[in-house]
Amino acid sequence: MATQRITEEPAFVLHRYDWSETSLILEVLTRHHGRVALVAKGAKRPSSSFRPILLPMQPLAVNYGGDSDIRTLKGVEWVGGHVMPTGDALLSGYYLNELLMRLLARDDPHSDLFDVYAATIQILATEGPDLRQGALRVFELMLLRGIGLLPSLGQQTMTMTALQPDRPYCLVPEGGLRQAHEEDRTSLTGKQWTQLQTALDDPIAYTATLRVCMDHVAALRPQLRVLLNYHCGVGNLKTRQMMMDIQSL
């Protein structure tokens, strides 16, 4: 098999592992090739040109090659655009990274999701908490949709019947979108779910969905959290638990 060489590929570092005393294994989200694993040889050395650049949530352009499961990083440049998020925004960024690590298979391209991630990181780094929460909900919705795990929000999932505009519905694992029960803590009306579906179908989906999500953050957050935890196969994501622990202090 010929060695594959990729140059100037837009990328973000999602996670990094120690590989040896001097090198790192990187999990990287790329725009055209999906999530890939790269070995950054010598990246831990103080003199390495990689060392100050291979940071999470920073837009990069990477060069790499190889035909094995783990390719070799040949070069990297910082593209610029925003500073590193801090505080709660930084934890939110790590939360996005954990979702992508758990839900995206390697070498499965999702260029639209790459753009959604980039837009969300930009908001985390530059905007206030209200807009950040809306952007997180947009990312969750568009991630689930991009990997085929979000049902249509314009009809009941099991019966495929139309939503009644004023009746409450909730999004649940396995059952999809269904009528809300008395014990359900949060729900949205049929009209509100339909507005979300229309926004997701918009040619400028990110902006349109963010506009709708801003009015429904409190109701969407617990429903999407349960759905994501279910598909990730965990009771609670590590970054979510970390946020809870910090808040309890």
Side-chain angles (χ1 to χ4, degrees):
M1 181 184 294
T3 299
Q4 185 182 34
R5 296 187 181 276
I6 305 298
T7 60
E8 298 184 358
E9 173 66 15
F12 288 91
V13 175
L14 299 178
H15 196 57
R16 48 194 275 174
Y17 312 88
D18 289 336
W19 186 55
S20 68
E21 291 185 1
T22 61
S23 302
L24 295 169
I25 298 291
L26 308 172
E27 292 284 353
V28 177
L29 179 68
T30 70
R31 191 175 193 279
H32 301 104
H33 303 278
R35 182 166 70 90
V36 298
L38 304 176
V39 56
K41 295 181 179 179
K44 294 167 64 177
R45 292 194 181 104
S47 60
S48 172
S49 61
F50 291 162
R51 187 183 178 100
I53 300 175
L54 295 175
L55 301 174
M57 290 162 259
Q58 293 296 296
L60 306 173
V62 297
N63 304 330
Y64 63 89
D67 53 17
S68 62
D69 290 340
I70 301 177
R71 284 82 160 186
T72 301
L73 183 67
K74 302 292 187 180
V76 57
E77 292 184 4
W78 179 62
V79 177
H82 60 75
V83 299
M84 179 78 75
T86 59
D88 290 344
L90 180 62
L91 288 176
S92 294
Y94 282 126
Y95 165 68
L96 302 187
N97 290 357
E98 184 178 1
L99 286 178
L100 291 171
M101 288 287 293
R102 288 181 177 273
L103 294 175
L104 287 189
R106 282 183 181 165
D107 302 309
D108 183 17
H110 288 276
S111 58
D112 290 346
L113 279 178
F114 180 91
D115 294 341
V116 168
Y117 176 86
T120 305
I121 291 296
Q122 178 74 24
I123 289 175
L124 292 180
T126 60
E127 302 295 340
D130 290 343
L131 193 58
R132 292 201 301 262
Q133 286 299 314
L136 290 174
R137 306 294 80 78
V138 175
F139 179 85
E140 291 167 342
L141 284 166
M142 299 188 82
L143 171 61
L144 287 166
R145 191 187 201 200
I147 58 178
L149 296 178
L150 185 71
S152 170
L153 304 181
Q155 63 183 13
Q156 294 188 65
T157 302
M158 301 300 290
T159 62
M160 299 184 68
T161 54
L163 304 180
Q164 299 299 311
D166 298 325
R167 185 167 294 177
Y169 300 88
C170 58
L171 189 61
V172 298
E174 296 185 345
L177 195 63
R178 60 157 172 80
Q179 288 191 43
H181 301 155
E182 289 186 5
E183 64 270 19
D184 291 322
R185 293 186 175 184
T186 58
S187 63
L188 293 174
T189 66
K191 179 180 179 180
Q192 292 165 338
W193 284 117
T194 302
Q195 288 173 338
L196 275 171
Q197 183 63 54
T198 300
L200 287 168
D201 292 336
D202 192 276
I204 311 176
Y206 191 90
T207 301
T209 307
L210 179 59
R211 189 178 300 117
V212 177
C213 280
M214 289 301 296
D215 294 328
H216 309 303
V217 167
L220 282 170
R221 184 175 182 177
Q223 296 180 75
L224 292 173
R225 181 187 306 167
V226 171
L227 190 59
L228 286 162
N229 287 350
Y230 172 80
H231 288 301
C232 289
V234 297
N236 223 353
L237 293 168
K238 292 180 180 178
T239 45
R240 179 73 70 182
Q241 186 61 53
M242 187 183 301
M243 291 179 197
M244 294 168 60
D245 292 343
I246 291 174
Q247 289 170 357
S248 69
L249 295 175

